[in-house]
Every structure is written in structure tokens, then in C-alpha cells.
Amino acid sequence: MTDSINTVQPLLQLQDVSISPKTSPSRLLVNNVSFTLEAGKTTCVVGESGSGKSLTALSIMGLLSQQLQLTSGKVLFNDKESGVQDIALLSDKALQKIRGAKIAMIFQEPMTSLNPVLTVGYQIGESLTMHLGLKGEVLKAKIATLLEMVGIPSNRAGSYPDELSGGQRQRVMIAMSIACEPRLLIADEPTTALDVTVQAQILKLLDELKTRMNMGMLFITHDFGVVADIADNVVVMFRGEIVEAGSKEQVLSNPQHPYTKALLACVPDAEGKKDLKPIDYAWLSDNKTLSAGT
Ligand SMILES: Nc1ncnc2c1ncn2[C@@H]1O[C@H](COP(=O)(O)OP(=O)(O)O)[C@@H](O)[C@H]1O
Ligand SMILES: [Mg+2]
């Protein structure tokens, strides 16, 4: 571990991250992915289903499934206490101290991440007890504050997940994720299962919390409408590789890569009508930089 705070280094820097199945190391599901994320900024990772967005996110958390491995690369995390360190090298025990405390993640479907037999208040409190040692009245007060922060009346602390709406459950997940004031929040398609109005409210909430807590946010989506709303920077993934990256303005108004252009052509127009034209992959055969897909 290194010396002190490094203010020059970004909050998160992925360097040449590749991921493959352990049984077939040459089959790269994520291939040489590199990008940086600053504190207080949002980077959106976009790409269609299967492009490697979730695996990239899970590799940052050290949560890749048993069958998969990080074949190469560094996950440099810049933390006040430890300085810049490659968290891909940490033991599971060391990672557990970071997970939930300094890096938190929100998933798409809150019902699968919440325990149905425990109250939401209890579940929000778990990481506060584990990481910060909070108990009793102090813990109760902190849970109430967190619920209010995400727009849920604090008297709902005693409710069970199935007594809440989908939007409220996602708010509970957000309360859990920000409980220990993480420096980095990873959100993997957190609004996909919600209706459009609730989706907009949740995006606004995440954006406000990010600013208020000066977190870095890595936001995974396949929706360019979401990108337009909340991104500072955009990373476009296709078949495990980054095909384009830049500021939101660059990528949305002046896309360079044919895949980005094709994705943007699928965005619904102002009336919300979706252009269902399939993505045109004609460019792919000429593109020597992409590895052979399946
Ligand atoms: N445990 C696994 N074993 C083998 N292949 C996997 C595993 N998990 C994911 N994949 C494959 O890796 C690719 C990227 O997956 P993922 O990161 O989940 O995509 P995205 O989140 O962009 O939809 C997909 O082709 C998926 O089938
Ligand atoms: Mg995914």
C-alpha cells in the first residue's frame, strides 16, 4: 500500500482489464478495457446486452463469478486511507472492507438483492453496523436519516420489501448503498425495471446524491436517454471492447464510431416513439480492431 492521498490521480482507473472463463482463458468476454473516473463525476457505460458492461462492473467490486477470472489488468482505486492501490490484487477479506464502505453497487432488480424476511430498516442498518460499528439509538437515527434522504418516510423502517412499491425498493437499495458514504457508486441498470416516471425520479435522486456526497458514479445502461440526463463521460462497449469513449457532448453530438451511431439511431424520438430498426453491423467486417465475436 502506498503513502497518502493522491489528488492528482483519478478516483478510479481501469487499465487494460480483460476477463475470460477460467476454462478458456483465450476467450475474452471483456477485452483490454481502460477508462478513468473522477470524484463527483458520472461515467456512463453503454452498449447492448452481452457487451460486457456488468462483468466490467463486477470486476471492480471483485465479484466476478467463480467460473470467471481477470486475465489481465489493473483496477486502481484512489482512497484517502490507502492511497492508490490495485484492488484487483487484494484478498477477499481486504475487499470486503472496501465493498459497501468505499465502493458500493446497486443492481437492476431490488427484489433479488433485498432479503424478503428482514425489514428494510434492518437491511439498511447491516452495513452501518458492520463497517462503522453503529448500534442502538445512533443506528436507528442514521437509518431514519438515510430513508428521508432517499425520499421514504422514516416510519417505513419497519416495513418488509414486499410492502413497498418497485420504486421504493430501489430507493431502499440506494439508501443501503450510500449508508457508509462510499467514494464510488456503481449502478448497473438500476432503473430498467421501473416505469418511466419513477425512473426519472430515481435518476434525479442518484444525480443529487452524487453531487452532495462528491461520489464518483459508474452508471451502466443501454439507454442513451439516461446518458443524456446524467453522464459527464461516456464509454461505449461492443462485444467486450470499448469502441468509443469521451465526454457526453462529444459522444452524443459527434459520435465517431459506426456502432455508437447505430445505437444512437435506435433512441426514441421526442414523442417517445422507438425506432425499431435493427442495428446495422455492415461496418463490422471492415473493423480490424475488434476481436472475432460469436
Ligand atoms: N459466468 C459466465 N460464464 C461465461 N460467460 C459469461 C458469464 N457471465 C457472463 N458471460 C458472458 O459474458 C458476456 C458479457 O456479459 P455481461 O457483462 O453480463 O453483459 P452486459 O452486462 O453488457 O449485458 C456475455 O456474452 C455473457 O454471456
Ligand atoms: Mg448487464
Side-chain angles (χ1 to χ4, degrees):
M1 317 237 160
T2 48
D3 33 11
S4 55
I5 323 172
N6 194 328
T7 46
V8 182
Q9 290 287 328
L11 176 66
L12 175 75
Q13 185 167 17
L14 260 65
Q15 283 182 350
D16 298 324
V17 166
S18 294
I19 299 166
S20 69
K22 283 179 183 161
T23 51
S24 108
S26 60
R27 189 175 150 236
L28 297 180
L29 301 169
V30 168
N31 188 358
N32 267 308
V33 162
S34 303
F35 61 84
T36 60
L37 172 61
E38 313 278 344
K41 301 277 186 201
T42 300
T43 291
C44 280
V45 181
V46 269
E48 68 196 305
S49 180
S51 54
K53 307 183 297 296
S54 292
L55 291 186
T56 302
L58 290 169
S59 72
I60 299 168
M61 291 288 280
L63 287 176
L64 285 177
S65 82
Q66 282 300 316
Q67 303 99 299
L68 301 179
Q69 64 181 359
L70 206 70
T71 340
S72 67
K74 290 182 180 177
V75 179
L76 301 174
F77 182 62
N78 185 10
D79 165 49
K80 232 184 242 168
E81 283 78 38
S82 316
V84 179
Q85 57 177 341
D86 181 0
I87 57 174
L89 298 175
L90 295 181
S91 68
D92 207 51
K93 199 165 161 226
L95 266 175
Q96 271 170 21
K97 285 204 183 127
I98 291 181
R99 241 183 258 142
K102 290 167 181 172
I103 306 179
M105 188 158 175
I106 316 170
F107 298 93
Q108 180 175 335
E109 187 29 77
M111 219 35 203
T112 56
S113 317
L114 288 171
N115 188 329
V117 302
L118 298 172
T119 66
V120 296
Y122 181 87
Q123 296 185 65
I124 294 170
E126 275 181 323
S127 72
L128 291 166
T129 304
M130 180 164 88
H131 293 295
L132 305 177
L134 300 194
K135 289 188 290 220
E137 289 306 309
V138 181
L139 176 64
K140 229 170 130 182
K142 180 74 184 178
I143 292 167
T145 307
L146 283 161
L147 281 170
E148 302 280 351
M149 270 175 88
V150 298
I152 295 182
S154 55
N155 63 10
R156 300 305 302 263
S159 300
Y160 291 89
D162 69 358
E163 294 172 333
L164 303 176
S165 68
Q168 284 175 320
R169 286 199 285 263
Q170 197 53 290
R171 287 172 188 269
V172 168
M173 290 300 302
I174 293 169
M176 286 168 70
S177 70
I178 61 165
C180 299
E181 304 189 6
R183 305 312 314 134
L184 171 63
L185 182 62
I186 303 175
D188 191 352
E189 314 228 22
T191 60
T192 313
L194 304 171
D195 73 53
V196 182
T197 318
V198 181
Q199 173 171 343
Q201 292 164 355
I202 298 284
L203 285 179
K204 186 158 172 278
L205 172 65
L206 282 170
D207 197 45
E208 283 168 4
L209 290 170
K210 177 213 73 178
T211 306
R212 190 159 146 192
M213 299 167 69
N214 195 34
M215 293 182 292
M217 183 152 74
L218 188 66
F219 195 103
I220 295 174
T221 180
H222 58 265
D223 183 343
F224 268 104
V226 171
V227 176
D229 268 356
I230 62 163
D232 294 297
N233 295 299
V234 186
V235 167
V236 184
M237 287 187 72
F238 176 72
R239 293 192 185 169
E241 296 189 24
I242 293 179
V243 292
E244 178 155 9
S247 71
K248 171 172 78 180
E249 290 70 27
Q250 275 167 10
V251 175
L252 291 191
S253 42
N254 190 19
Q256 298 299 306
H257 195 279
Y259 179 65
T260 315
K261 291 179 190 171
L263 276 181
L264 279 165
C266 298
V267 172
D269 62 22
E271 279 115 45
K273 274 184 286 177
K274 200 140 197 158
D275 183 351
L276 291 175
K277 192 173 59 178
I279 293 177
D280 178 5
Y281 290 115
W283 51 270
L284 187 58
S285 54
D286 310 327
N287 196 316
K288 303 285 192 289
T289 64
L290 289 169
S291 61
T294 42

